[in-house]
Amino acid sequence: MNAVNPIISIQNVNKFFGTFQALSDVSLTVEAGQKVVVIGPSGSGKSTLLRTINQLEEISSGAIVVDGRDLGDPKNDINRVREEVGMVFQNFNLFRHKTVLENLTLAPIKLKKEPKLQADKRAMELLDKVGLVDKAGSYPVQLSGGQEQRVAIARALAMNPKIMLFDEPTSALDPEMIGEVLEVMVTLAREGMTMVVVTHEMGFAREVADSVVFMDEGKIVEIAPPNQFFDHPQHERTQKFLEQIL
Amino acid sequence: MREKKVVIEVGDGAAIPDPNDKGLFTAWRISFFGTLAIMAFLVINRPDPYLDILKYLPDGILITFKVTFASIALALVLGLIAGLGRISKNKFFNLAASTYIEVVRGIPLLVQLFYIYFALGHIVRVPDLVAAIIAMGFCYGAYMGEVFRAGINSIDDGQSEASLSLGFNRSQTMRYVILPQAWRTILPPVGNEFIALLKDTSLVSILAVSDILRRGREFASESFLYFETYTMIALVYLLITLILSKLLSNIENRLGHYERR
């Protein structure tokens, strides 16, 4: 928790989609164990920023270092970095041809060469953690959205990542299912996981975040601890955004 | 909402029966039992020549199946390579695959058969049967390439993103996540192509390969019973394709299990 070097270091990153600039001179550091919540209007670049951390989006310029590995250095195998960075998506993206248990064990068995028995055991522990032991043999199509997302979190955790990225994890859920997913995320945060979360759940941000990042038009406008951020936002655009959503 | 639903329509095979159609009178049943009835009627009422024709054909049926299975196996391999090439980010691989598909699709199958058969003859001496299989497989591989491409593209991008985010590389993602799912989208058109290919193997009768049609032609040219012979040949082909389409329908039905609630 007291790491001197940041586990994620994003320096002056620019990202273009054609002529559209999605990220503009973005810099952000995340310490090990820190929880960072990124908020902002849609199209502000917050998801793009998150996706650059495990290189689902390649950056146009700048530098990103994750756990000491420079993503721009071709000698670093991006796949090994990704093993350490779990990701949870808005649309869950569970493997639809695999059971819940197989969703959790596929990567540990194939990538970490874990014996099946050991992978199964670990998967059942994780399913217990997200409260879905009884769904181990089900296919994703048989689950509710909230259950799917909890499985997706467990699947990411099965690789024992050092960092967890959440890309609007509750945005595709029916309102009554949001709570069960946030609950799992809060537990994870309490256990000391390093988390970067893009979300519209301000309650979660207030409760869990060490710092809140506000983005607009591809730029980071403001970074502050949640109390200061929500009660005394410094920038006009932050104030306007908070007025609209709170 | 979460999954792109794509039905690939390739309409040159026999119609694959709809497993949900539980009616007593379906097109498949009428055709199948009608074919059987007509064959039985002809063979029983006029064993000479119909039974003689039927007895003359089994060797040809075997050859037709040999050519079909070997060609489809070759076509599946070439199709997978071509399909992966078409979606590859590697410019050379992509262009090579696209060109192969473009060229093959632009030339009539019969012309290709002649061409590959005689071109091969210039380079190596291969048996007629092998030349026919290579030609058919080469041609159908191009069509199969498009089927594979469409099937792979039908899988939501989120699936490969999830796989990549776990640490799988692109080829592992293809192998463990995309292809096992794409297979379900790919199977119906592949089945169609299989049946279409079986019918198209009748073209190899021109290349001195003794398939059903060639056996029939031999019988007809000796007996001069052209009408009777071709009636029987048509019925045999129809019976085979009807049985195959039913089999494929059953396989498809079983493969859809994890989509059902």
Side-chain angles (χ1 to χ4, degrees):
Chain A
M1 283 271 224
N2 304 316
V4 183
N5 292 320
I7 195 162
I8 304 170
S9 159
I10 299 169
Q11 295 300 326
N12 308 106
V13 162
N14 289 291
K15 168 70 184 176
F16 291 88
F17 291 108
T19 56
F20 174 74
Q21 187 160 14
L23 294 176
S24 146
D25 198 31
V26 169
S27 296
L28 178 71
T29 58
V30 180
E31 309 287 337
Q34 221 185 357
K35 292 95 183 94
V36 176
V37 170
V38 184
I39 64 173
S42 64
S44 59
K46 50 194 194 306
S47 284
T48 306
L49 175 64
L50 195 73
R51 290 160 58 86
T52 60
I53 297 172
N54 65 353
Q55 221 180 70
L56 283 183
E57 301 290 354
E58 279 187 47
I59 57 176
S60 307
S61 67
I64 297 180
V65 180
V66 177
D67 196 24
R69 286 188 260 206
D70 184 349
L71 301 193
D73 186 346
K75 275 183 300 206
N76 280 326
D77 182 357
I78 182 63
N79 298 310
R80 299 294 78 77
V81 177
R82 284 173 177 157
E83 285 184 15
E84 291 182 9
V85 183
M87 185 158 193
V88 175
F89 300 85
Q90 182 176 348
N91 290 326
F92 333 131
N93 297 340
L94 291 181
F95 302 136
R96 316 208 59 80
H97 61 305
K98 301 273 184 201
T99 63
V100 165
L101 189 71
E102 289 165 350
N103 263 276
L104 267 65
T105 58
L106 183 68
I109 290 173
K110 300 293 182 195
L111 291 173
K112 293 196 162 170
K113 308 292 175 203
E114 276 180 27
K116 189 177 178 307
L117 275 176
Q118 186 190 325
D120 282 353
K121 186 166 167 280
R122 167 90 176 121
M124 291 309 284
E125 285 168 18
L126 287 167
L127 285 177
D128 185 40
K129 186 173 179 166
V130 300
L132 289 170
V133 170
D134 55 325
K135 297 291 182 190
S138 304
Y139 283 93
V141 75
Q142 297 167 309
L143 306 180
S144 71
Q147 292 171 333
E148 279 200 73
Q149 193 61 298
R150 285 186 280 155
V151 172
I153 294 172
R155 175 178 67 180
L157 291 175
M159 288 298 280
N160 293 321
K162 294 183 177 170
I163 301 163
M164 284 285 283
L165 309 176
F166 292 84
D167 189 3
E168 304 202 24
T170 56
S171 298
L173 296 176
D174 292 331
E176 76 271 19
M177 294 173 183
I178 291 174
E180 64 193 60
V181 171
L182 289 180
E183 204 179 304
V184 170
M185 290 169 65
V186 170
T187 309
L188 199 56
R190 297 246 162 85
E191 289 169 0
M193 176 63 76
T194 308
M195 292 164 70
V196 182
V197 184
V198 172
T199 187
H200 299 292
E201 295 296 325
M202 296 305 147
F204 175 82
R206 238 182 218 281
E207 190 183 337
V208 170
D210 295 308
S211 67
V212 180
V213 175
F214 177 68
M215 288 186 75
D216 193 20
E217 292 176 347
K219 294 187 188 70
I220 291 181
V221 176
E222 187 163 349
I223 305 179
N227 286 341
Q228 188 189 327
F229 182 88
F230 289 108
D231 301 333
H232 308 289
Q234 300 296 301
H235 289 259
E236 197 188 325
R237 269 190 290 177
T238 318
Q239 290 163 7
K240 247 181 147 176
F241 178 74
L242 288 174
E243 270 168 36
Q244 279 167 353
I245 58 155
L246 290 178
Chain B
M1 171 189 89
R2 269 184 267 114
E3 213 168 349
K4 284 187 260 174
K5 277 279 171 228
V6 176
V7 179
I8 307 165
E9 299 276 4
V10 183
D12 47 2
I16 298 201
D18 179 358
N20 298 318
D21 191 349
K22 302 276 188 244
L24 192 59
F25 293 102
T26 60
W28 185 85
R29 283 181 192 194
I30 292 169
S31 316
F32 181 73
F33 292 111
T35 307
L36 277 182
I38 293 170
M39 282 175 89
F41 176 83
L42 292 175
V43 167
I44 291 164
N45 280 300
R46 286 185 55 197
D48 177 25
Y50 287 108
L51 188 60
D52 299 335
I53 299 169
L54 204 56
K55 279 183 185 158
Y56 199 76
L57 293 181
D59 291 351
I61 295 174
L62 195 68
I63 295 286
T64 291
F65 271 99
K66 266 188 191 163
V67 174
T68 305
F69 277 107
S71 305
I72 203 85
L74 181 61
L76 281 173
V77 172
L78 288 174
L80 179 60
I81 295 170
L84 289 173
R86 290 270 282 158
I87 55 167
S88 170
K89 291 205 171 88
N90 180 324
K91 281 212 176 72
F92 173 76
F93 189 28
N94 191 313
L95 204 60
S98 302
T99 309
Y100 161 59
I101 292 171
E102 205 68 42
V103 168
V104 166
R105 296 215 299 185
I107 303 172
L109 178 54
L110 188 54
V111 176
Q112 282 182 57
L113 274 180
F114 277 133
Y115 191 82
I116 293 174
Y117 182 75
F118 290 111
L120 269 178
H122 277 293
I123 308 162
V124 276
R125 218 28 254 163
V126 293
D128 295 341
L129 188 70
V130 176
I133 288 166
I134 291 172
M136 297 290 298
F138 189 76
C139 171
Y140 266 78
Y143 292 91
M144 223 55 103
E146 288 300 89
V147 170
F148 272 99
R149 183 180 65 89
I152 290 166
N153 278 341
S154 75
I155 304 303
D156 191 275
D157 291 341
Q159 293 287 313
S160 58
E161 285 186 355
S163 172
L164 292 173
S165 79
L166 286 167
F168 286 109
N169 63 32
R170 297 194 71 83
S171 58
Q172 288 166 329
T173 295
M174 195 51 79
R175 183 169 147 207
Y176 297 127
V177 177
I178 306 299
L179 286 178
Q181 296 185 63
W183 186 235
R184 280 179 310 124
T185 320
I186 289 169
L187 190 80
V190 164
N192 265 314
E193 293 292 291
F194 179 78
I195 294 172
L197 194 151
L198 185 132
K199 292 185 297 173
D200 277 349
T201 56
S202 60
L203 292 172
V204 304
S205 63
I206 287 179
L207 308 178
V209 175
S210 303
D211 73 328
I212 299 174
L213 182 57
R214 188 169 183 98
R215 292 287 288 174
R217 281 167 61 201
E218 284 166 9
F219 188 92
S221 62
E222 281 167 24
S223 63
F224 300 104
L225 297 169
Y226 289 96
F227 171 74
E228 290 82 351
T229 308
Y230 289 122
T231 302
M232 212 53 183
I233 286 173
L235 288 169
V236 166
Y237 271 116
L238 186 56
L239 199 63
I240 292 171
T241 54
L242 285 169
I243 292 170
L244 284 175
S245 66
K246 187 70 177 175
L247 279 175
L248 286 164
S249 156
N250 288 346
I251 295 172
E252 266 172 45
N253 204 21
R254 216 166 291 165
L255 226 76
H257 67 280
Y258 60 82
E259 279 300 320
R260 259 183 269 136
R261 258 178 203 274

